[in-house]
Amino acid sequence: MGAATLAAGGLTALATGTAQAADVNVVRNGGFESGLANWTCTADSGAVVSSPVSSGAGALKGTPSGQDNAQCSQTVTVKPNSTYTLSGQVQGSYVYLGATGTGTQDVSTWTPGSGSGWQKLSTTFTTGPNTTQVTVWTHGWYGQPAYVVDEFSVFGPDGGGGTDPGPSVPGAPAGAAVSGQSTNGLTLSWNAVSGATGYYVYQDGVRVRTVSGSPAQITGLAAATSYSFQVSAYNAAGEGPKSAAVTGTTTGGGNPNPNPSVPKHALTGYWQNFNNGATVQKISDVSSQYDIIAVSFADATTTPGAIAFTLDSAGLGGYTVAQFKADVAAKKAAGTSVVLSIGGEKGTISVNDSTSANNLANSAYALMQEYGFSGIDIDLENGLNPTYMTQALRSLSAKAGPSLVLTMAPQTIDMQSTAGGYFKTALNVKDILTVVNMQYYNSGSMNGCDGKVYSQGSVDFLTALACIQLEGGLDPSQVGIGVPASPSGAGSGYVSPTVVNNALDCLTRGTNCGSFKPSKTYPGLRGAMTWSTNWDAKAGSTWSNAVGPKVHSLP
């Protein structure tokens, strides 16, 4: 019943009960947005100008001379026995509008005017029983100055010759992307918008450029600086909404504030930017046992691949952005790396092409500069494309320099084989990769490197699965053991700190192993990771106080 009601409501009923179609504008290019298309002017007397205009980007300027009154005309297709309203906005003295060949009485109207400001002229005409075309025109007067006409229209029944209803405001450009970065410039591109006659480019919220189409070369920028860009489309109807913001960073300039070095053996902890019942912490509250703090999590944006970060000030008891930045800087000064984690259980960031790869690199680097992050952590649990994630990470590395801290936290299933996307990515970026802290929890049973199946919650599960990475191509310094800080930190897979320490001993020293004992030791093993520093604090810091010293005392 709802659909039928809507359909009926969409008709305009006359007294007789029949529906009548709306009148249309049978003039083409009546706003002169397409130059003089569809118009003929005597003695080349007409031109399209950008100022003055009544609306849109153009108007007709006619200049009488000698015995020529600068008439511009157009033949329109009409319907017999019909009434039409002819109108236009005019500026100048003695400006005329009219129609000839109506089949009844030809009409005209004019304004003596003083020539200042816009005035609307309007008249009507009725077509004869056999009239299908009418010539409509405008002109000035002999010996008078130039006149201007805009918004010329002839409204009435559609004669079948096509209509010119006027453009609608264009939509927001999609696919905004930055490429071609140099020391002082970059290239901004976007997808074309239907109906647009031009585009405005915004830099950090300020309109800086008007262009006819994509791409736009942005120059005169500072070296090693990030800029936010948006694009909007416009036409005669006005300016449309801006595109989603995209960040671009110029090259060069060096790195005036390099990140601290990650120690040979490091403890990593995830810090929660939300309150889920664990202890609410500021970054300054995180135990000094942690060498890498992964801020969880970056926010997805409407721009594919691009990320943002919003501090949950309300959920964290009024923790301000200024305090957060100061705390990150203080940790950094103390030798601790603070990275931004991308993904998580509900992460929706997807990098599946070059554009989204560039968006991730540009936005991540901008956040590093804004908040002082030392790098990023890849914690995508919905899979990743190794080709384009590699492209994104290498692009970020080129911007951030050799002190970039790059960590990963794949699930156990993601590191079972070097053929997997995560494992491929890790190997692809091995030369810039800091550590892979696989999550040895919420995973049930998995294959070890000896082909046997091991159940989570045991030292064998930790050592036999770590062996896959150690023998699959990662350097021991790029392998860490990721576990929950307490039973509340994960649905399953919690092991006591003693089990974690035994696994570290087994892998680095060959002692305290379970039934699985690796064929060799890996004294360079990076260390361990936990979810989360907040659950660790909730449990009295038992995990970091036990595992931290063990990690820091590894060979």
Side-chain angles (χ1 to χ4, degrees):
M1 184 179 72
T5 302
L6 288 173
L11 298 177
T12 302
L14 301 176
T16 58
T18 61
Q20 177 176 299
D23 286 345
V24 298
N25 182 11
V26 297
V27 164
R28 300 287 190 92
N29 190 29
F32 302 97
E33 305 303 320
S34 300
L36 288 175
N38 303 105
W39 292 91
T40 300
C41 299
T42 57
D44 295 324
S45 57
V48 171
V49 295
S50 59
S51 179
V53 296
S54 177
S55 70
L60 169 67
K61 181 179 181 180
T63 305
S65 61
Q67 298 300 307
D68 181 68
N69 62 5
Q71 176 172 296
C72 295
S73 61
Q74 178 179 153
T75 299
V76 298
T77 303
V78 294
K79 192 174 183 179
N81 296 319
S82 300
T83 299
Y84 292 83
T85 298
L86 165 65
S87 66
Q89 292 287 340
V90 303
Q91 191 172 128
S93 300
Y94 302 102
V95 186
Y96 288 74
L97 300 182
T100 56
T102 63
T104 56
Q105 181 178 357
D106 293 346
V107 298
S108 66
T109 182
W110 63 286
T111 174
S114 61
S116 61
W118 290 99
Q119 301 178 63
K120 184 174 183 178
L121 284 180
S122 182
T123 187
T124 62
F125 64 86
T126 300
T127 56
N130 300 310
T131 303
T132 58
Q133 289 190 319
V134 170
T135 298
V136 294
W137 47 262
T138 180
H139 63 68
W141 198 247
Y142 309 101
Q144 296 297 316
Y147 67 93
V148 185
V149 176
D150 202 356
E151 299 179 52
F152 195 109
S153 64
V154 179
F155 276 97
D158 185 358
T163 63
D164 189 7
S168 58
V169 174
V178 173
S179 62
Q181 293 93 334
S182 65
T183 303
N184 301 112
L186 45 78
T187 301
L188 179 66
S189 60
W190 59 91
N191 297 338
V193 177
S194 176
T197 56
Y199 300 87
Y200 297 128
V201 175
Y202 290 82
Q203 178 180 309
D204 295 328
V206 178
R207 186 194 294 180
V208 295
R209 191 76 61 85
T210 301
V211 296
S212 60
S214 173
Q217 305 299 323
I218 312 298
T219 58
L221 304 177
T225 304
S226 291
Y227 297 89
S228 176
F229 295 96
Q230 290 176 285
V231 184
S232 67
Y234 69 85
N235 59 19
E239 180 183 4
K242 297 183 183 69
S243 68
V246 61
T247 300
T249 305
T250 51
T251 58
N255 186 359
N257 190 19
N259 299 315
S261 298
V262 176
K264 178 180 179 181
H265 301 295
L267 194 72
T268 301
Y270 284 78
W271 175 85
Q272 298 177 185
N273 181 37
F274 49 86
N275 182 357
N276 66 347
T279 299
V280 171
Q281 292 183 308
K282 297 180 173 65
I283 292 293
S284 58
D285 297 329
V286 176
S287 169
S288 60
Q289 292 286 351
Y290 292 99
D291 305 290
I292 301 174
I293 300 171
V295 171
S296 310
F297 290 100
D299 305 315
T301 71
T302 56
T303 301
I307 58 172
F309 176 71
T310 305
L311 186 70
D312 184 11
S313 297
L316 302 181
Y319 195 16
T320 67
V321 171
Q323 287 176 304
F324 176 83
K325 290 181 178 179
D327 288 347
V328 171
K331 284 290 187 182
K332 192 172 182 177
T336 301
S337 300
V338 183
V339 301
L340 178 61
S341 183
I342 300 170
E345 179 186 359
K346 299 180 181 179
T348 57
I349 290 90
S350 181
V351 179
N352 292 317
D353 54 31
S354 292
T355 298
S356 54
N358 285 330
N359 291 342
L360 175 57
N362 291 334
S363 58
Y365 186 59
L367 293 172
M368 287 174 61
Q369 292 191 308
E370 181 178 357
Y371 291 94
F373 297 127
S374 295
I376 61 171
D377 169 71
I378 304 299
D379 185 19
L380 297 173
E381 298 183 7
N382 56 339
L384 54 77
N385 183 308
T387 299
Y388 295 109
M389 182 56 72
T390 297
Q391 178 182 324
L393 298 179
R394 290 212 170 275
S395 177
L396 177 59
S397 175
K399 300 174 190 298
S403 64
L404 173 73
V405 177
L406 174 59
T407 67
M408 295 184 178
Q411 301 173 98
T412 51
I413 190 66
D414 294 321
M415 302 299 286
Q416 283 277 284
S417 167
T418 55
Y422 237 114
F423 214 141
K424 279 185 178 179
T425 303
L427 294 175
N428 286 347
V429 297
K430 182 177 176 180
D431 57 314
I432 59 172
L433 177 63
T434 306
V435 62
V436 176
N437 291 303
M438 191 173 73
Q439 303 174 43
Y440 293 76
Y441 51 94
N442 293 339
S443 59
S445 298
M446 288 286 164
N447 290 324
C449 66
D450 59 354
K452 295 181 180 179
V453 176
Y454 294 93
S455 299
Q456 65 181 11
S458 65
V459 66
D460 288 334
F461 187 77
L462 303 181
T463 56
L465 269 68
C467 175
I468 297 176
Q469 299 171 64
L470 293 163
E471 294 301 311
L474 292 180
D475 189 85
S477 66
Q478 296 172 322
V479 177
I481 296 174
V483 295
S486 75
S488 300
S492 64
Y494 171 75
V495 292
S496 70
T498 300
V499 173
V500 178
N501 289 347
N502 286 342
L504 294 172
D505 279 336
C506 179
L507 291 169
T508 61
R509 297 184 172 97
T511 61
N512 293 325
C513 298
S515 62
F516 172 80
K517 185 172 182 177
S519 59
K520 62 181 180 181
T521 58
Y522 307 92
L525 192 81
R526 181 67 79 173
M529 171 275 282
T530 196
W531 177 271
S532 63
T533 65
N534 307 75
W535 286 116
D536 183 28
K538 181 81 168 182
S541 300
T542 301
W543 191 89
S544 58
N545 286 339
V547 180
K550 170 62 73 173
V551 166
H552 297 138
S553 67
L554 291 174

